Amino acid sequence: MQNSKVHFWLSQMGALQLLLIYLILLLTKSQAIPKEEGWKSATATYTKETDGSIITEGACGYGDLHKASYGKYSAGLSTMLFNRGSTCGACFEVRCVNHILWCLQGSPSVILTATDFCPPNFGLSSDYGGWCNFPKEHFEMSEAAFAEIAEKRADIVPVQYKRVKCERRGGIRFSVSGSAHFFQVLITNVGLDGEVVAVKVKGSTTGWIPMARNWGQNWHCNINLMGQPLSFEVTASTGRTVASYSVAPPNWEFGGTYEGKQFK
């Protein structure tokens, strides 16, 4: 009788073990589902401007950032984040963390647009002054934006950041410059991820012409497009493409800015 009870409990324990293994497998499977990109660690400082924002032209070529609609919510990026200018126009959510003296209560966040390059200073330690030295990940924010996440008395604060969708008003803007045989366009106000990886231009007598990145978000090609309506095709880093047809009329002029479609 006693042996039969032992066999019964052993059989029950085996069933419980199988159930436990099954539950573990289910949990493991659920954890393997891809999640939204998480927060990454970096540091942040701010640059002092008379109106509390960064208004200088910067390495992305945007000119007056208020006219480009980026204003005070802009930042210069260290080499690791700038990626030779391809990150220009990308949006980042940034919050101050892990500093009870300098971080504002509740760790509020701001959305920044990458508009400039924060150059390295190898004459200073990366822990003191050389904030943008490779391979540091660093944001040089406008004073006004910095004040929304941390005390302005701070020299440098630890932050967390992640890439986010850029919310823009209106369409993508195309500012043309150059000469008869050197056509250049500055692309601003890009939605979606904000990061442009390819641009094409088309006149009324041409097919789609690939353009090369000159610097920042300035793209160029060596062709005479004067007297033709201009269409543009913009590809974001996500691979999505938007085409804006006849954005500029046949009598367009160098120095003009024309608005096209926006990523949805």
Side-chain angles (χ1 to χ4, degrees):
M1 185 70 179
Q2 187 173 2
N3 288 336
S4 62
K5 288 184 177 180
V6 171
H7 290 151
F8 172 78
W9 286 112
L10 286 175
S11 64
Q12 292 299 308
M13 288 177 65
L16 289 172
Q17 286 177 336
L18 288 173
L19 179 60
L20 181 60
I21 292 171
Y22 177 72
L23 291 174
I24 291 173
L25 288 173
L26 283 179
L27 180 61
T28 304
K29 184 178 180 180
S30 67
Q31 289 177 337
I33 297 174
K35 295 182 179 180
E36 183 182 356
E37 183 181 3
W39 295 91
K40 299 179 181 179
S41 298
T43 52
T45 51
Y46 68 90
T47 180
K48 293 184 178 180
E49 296 284 349
T50 53
D51 66 348
S53 63
I54 303 174
I55 58 173
T56 54
E57 184 167 321
C60 292
Y62 292 134
D64 187 329
L65 296 181
H66 294 296
K67 292 181 179 179
S69 76
Y70 302 140
K72 69 178 183 178
Y73 295 102
S74 53
L77 307 184
S78 62
T79 303
M80 280 289 290
L81 295 172
F82 191 67
N83 197 22
R84 298 182 178 180
S86 68
T87 314
C88 287
C91 294
F92 296 84
E93 183 175 3
V94 179
R95 63 186 182 188
C96 181
V97 295
N98 302 328
H99 204 301
I100 193 171
L101 291 178
W102 302 136
C103 296
L104 297 186
Q105 187 175 2
S107 292
S109 64
V110 292
I111 307 297
L112 304 173
T113 299
T115 60
D116 201 1
F117 173 56
C118 180
N121 185 347
F122 295 115
L124 296 174
S125 167
S126 59
D127 295 326
Y128 189 80
W131 317 126
C132 293
N133 291 351
F134 186 85
K136 299 280 286 186
E137 296 188 345
H138 184 82
F139 294 85
E140 186 178 53
M141 302 169 60
S142 67
E143 182 177 357
F146 186 89
E148 293 191 18
I149 65 169
E151 298 287 347
K152 289 196 293 183
R153 293 174 296 165
D155 290 330
I156 182 172
V157 295
V159 298
Q160 290 179 338
Y161 74 93
K162 62 180 178 180
R163 286 285 295 271
V164 294
K165 181 180 178 181
C166 297
E167 300 291 343
R168 306 296 187 205
R169 293 182 179 178
I172 298 173
R173 296 172 192 156
F174 304 90
S175 301
V176 297
S177 61
S179 61
H181 298 285
F182 179 80
F183 180 82
Q184 181 169 272
V185 60
L186 170 65
I187 300 177
T188 59
N189 203 51
V190 181
L192 199 61
D193 64 349
E195 184 177 346
V196 177
V197 297
V199 178
K200 294 179 182 179
V201 63
K202 181 181 181 299
S204 57
T205 63
T206 72
W208 285 107
I209 302 167
M211 304 185 74
R213 187 189 301 275
N214 193 333
W215 59 285
Q217 284 300 353
N218 284 283
W219 298 76
H220 77 278
C221 61
N222 298 318
I223 191 169
N224 188 353
L225 294 169
M226 297 182 69
Q228 302 180 53
L230 302 178
S231 302
F232 294 96
E233 182 183 275
V234 176
T235 302
S237 62
T238 58
R240 289 183 57 188
T241 297
V242 61
S244 300
Y245 292 93
S246 299
V247 171
N251 61 341
W252 62 267
E253 297 179 350
F254 290 116
T257 297
Y258 307 92
E259 187 170 316
K261 292 183 178 180
Q262 184 60 271
F263 286 105
K264 298 298 184 181

